[in-house]
Amino acid sequence: MENGGSPNKPIRCRAAVSRVAEKRRWSMRRLVEVEPPKAWEVRIKIICTSLCHSDVTLWKMKEFPGIFPRIFGHEAVGTVESVGEHVEDIRAGDTVVPTFLAHCGRCVDCRSERSNICSLLPFRFKGMPRDGTNRFKGLNGEEIHNCLCVSSFVEYTVVDVVHVTKVDPRLPPELACLLSCGVSTGVGAAWKVAAVEKGSTVAIFGLGAVGLAVAEGARIHGAAKIIGVDLNPAKFEMGKKFGLTDFINPKDIGEKSVSEVIVEMTNGGADYCFECIGLASLMSEAFSSSRKGWGKTVVLGVELHGAPLSIKSPELLYGRSITGSLFGGIKAKTDIPILAQQYLNKELNLDEFITHQVDFKDINKAFDLLLQGKSIRCTIWMDR
């Protein structure tokens, strides 16, 4: 960091600024100016961040919601440096995680058990949630866009208070960071959306960080059979650490479809199916893998090509259902502290999600590891 600033002044600090889609050779010597927090906002000193596949998806987009220049990153943990007016429940010095989804606690959606999508400040791709402006500038005055209301590939960031959750400082930073997005999404999908119960059967399509987190959530809630589907055979051994009991590699089942194999393995279909990749064809396959009468399919992946989901309408008459899920149904300010406590109670496995750690200056290596399929989560330390 070049200068420490003050609660009322900008801070100059290092950032990984992406200027062109898919160009990842960023210079960590680039300085940006981070404005002080406005009303309802907090400025956070990032301790560590990690690379989520959603960052890669947005980074590859040449048209909206691809926006440049931009500071990516939305999975992080940090310490509150200063707060703006009207911020009451967060103070300087608090350990916090920022989240891409708001939780105001006051709107009809936040008060309801049926939704976690805040209607006061709904999800947006561009700018701060209340006024659509940005808090980053280049030293030449150039506006720099934020990412998913967070932007964590920078030493300091400004986040609206409804996107900030306090966490127990006893939780190691690299593990608190995981609760900011991916792990909470997967565990929450099993816990909050599907409500997996003891003795049930689960099938998970895609064993990235989110899919493995679904397995962990299903394990915690007592699922008897947890089937993972992935093209990478190494994911089975990895998945066992999170409760995976069975594994299907689509390349190894001959002419049978994955759904046919799952129906045979579960004597009629899985009670709960989760699609964690983002392909309409796999969403349909997951639905076909679910049990007639009560099978539930939860879609977590964002469709990579914008393809529509097609299900024959008579199939719905047999009682199966399909639902989408944003952030795994998690309400950040109430549910993330529960997950943190589960880890401290040795109930939730977080340590195994971290496969690599790098310094901020080596952020390009984190991208390489993810793109090559070598990492689940890579912790990026700001100052180690």
Side-chain angles (χ1 to χ4, degrees):
M1 185 181 67
E2 187 172 272
N3 71 301
S6 75
N8 299 314
K9 294 182 179 180
I11 288 176
R12 289 183 177 181
C13 62
R14 295 180 302 161
V17 180
S18 179
R19 296 188 170 278
V20 181
E22 297 192 67
K23 182 179 179 181
R24 66 179 184 273
R25 295 298 149 193
W26 302 330
S27 170
M28 291 302 99
R29 291 175 294 180
R30 185 179 300 281
L31 294 177
V32 298
E33 191 169 88
V34 184
E35 294 180 357
K38 295 184 179 180
W40 313 106
E41 296 175 356
V42 302
R43 189 160 59 185
I44 302 169
K45 184 181 189 299
I46 299 295
I47 299 171
C48 63
T49 181
S50 57
L51 178 60
C52 174
H53 205 277
S54 296
D55 291 308
V56 176
T57 300
L58 289 169
W59 164 70
K60 289 183 176 181
M61 291 182 175
K62 296 179 174 62
E63 299 179 357
F64 188 83
I67 313 166
F68 300 90
R70 193 177 203 177
I71 298 174
F72 286 98
H74 64 279
E75 193 172 272
V77 64
T79 303
V80 175
E81 177 267 343
S82 58
V83 303
E85 293 182 323
H86 310 306
V87 175
E88 298 176 351
D89 59 336
I90 301 288
R91 296 180 180 179
D94 285 343
T95 301
V96 297
V97 295
T99 56
F100 73 94
L101 203 61
H103 182 196
C104 76
R106 301 188 303 276
C107 70
V108 63
D109 292 271
C110 287
R111 294 198 311 269
S112 172
E113 289 298 316
R114 295 177 293 180
S115 172
N116 70 328
I117 302 175
C118 178
S119 51
L120 176 68
L121 293 171
F123 174 74
R124 65 187 300 157
F125 282 105
K126 183 179 179 181
M128 297 296 288
R130 296 180 194 263
D131 61 11
T133 61
N134 292 290
R135 301 291 174 266
F136 303 112
K137 290 182 180 179
L139 299 190
N140 61 356
E142 174 190 35
E143 183 179 35
I144 300 173
H145 298 282
N146 76 355
C147 179
L148 301 179
C149 299
V150 176
S151 287
S152 57
F153 295 165
V154 59
E155 291 179 298
Y156 286 82
T157 191
V158 177
V159 183
D160 193 283
V161 69
V162 299
H163 289 266
V164 176
T165 297
K166 286 194 291 188
V167 292
D168 193 322
R170 293 179 297 164
L171 193 66
E174 65 273 26
L175 302 182
C177 178
L178 298 175
L179 300 180
S180 185
C181 182
V183 171
S184 293
T185 295
V187 173
W191 165 34
K192 306 278 288 187
V193 182
V196 171
E197 74 277 355
K198 187 176 181 179
S200 58
T201 56
V202 169
I204 305 165
F205 289 72
L207 296 176
V210 172
L212 292 172
V214 171
E216 176 66 7
R219 180 194 67 78
I220 290 173
H221 290 276
K225 184 182 284 291
I226 305 174
I227 305 166
V229 181
D230 203 286
L231 292 170
N232 183 353
K235 292 294 181 72
F236 187 27
E237 288 303 316
M238 194 177 294
K240 288 179 181 178
K241 300 174 183 177
F242 303 101
L244 213 65
T245 60
D246 300 87
F247 181 77
I248 299 171
N249 186 332
K251 294 186 294 186
D252 297 337
I253 57 177
E255 296 182 358
K256 286 186 177 181
S257 66
V258 172
S259 59
E260 288 173 331
V261 175
I262 290 176
V263 168
E264 290 176 3
M265 291 175 66
T266 56
N267 192 28
D271 299 315
Y272 304 101
C273 294
F274 300 84
E275 200 281 342
C276 305
I277 296 177
L279 292 172
S281 58
L282 287 182
M283 296 172 192
S284 297
E285 191 72 359
F287 178 82
S288 297
S289 303
S290 65
R291 188 177 189 85
K292 291 180 179 178
W294 63 69
K296 186 172 186 177
T297 298
V298 181
V299 173
L300 297 171
V302 178
E303 221 296 326
L304 300 175
H305 310 291
L309 173 60
S310 178
I311 296 174
K312 294 180 180 179
S313 55
E315 294 294 322
L316 295 170
L317 299 178
Y318 286 93
R320 292 184 287 190
S321 63
I322 185 166
T323 185
S325 172
L326 194 60
F327 200 26
I330 290 290
K331 293 178 183 287
K333 291 180 184 289
T334 53
D335 294 333
I336 288 178
I338 292 173
L339 295 176
Q341 190 59 51
Q342 286 181 328
Y343 172 79
L344 294 172
N345 293 344
K346 302 186 185 303
E347 299 167 359
L348 174 65
N349 177 10
L350 293 178
D351 300 85
E352 299 293 343
F353 284 98
I354 300 174
T355 54
H356 298 82
Q357 301 190 52
V358 300
D359 294 328
F360 189 34
K361 64 182 178 63
D362 298 318
I363 190 172
N364 292 300
K365 183 178 179 181
F367 269 78
D368 291 336
L369 289 167
L370 184 62
L371 293 168
Q372 294 165 9
K374 295 180 179 179
S375 71
I376 302 176
R377 276 296 186 265
C378 179
T379 303
I380 303 166
W381 292 93
M382 291 295 163
D383 186 15
R384 199 163 44 155

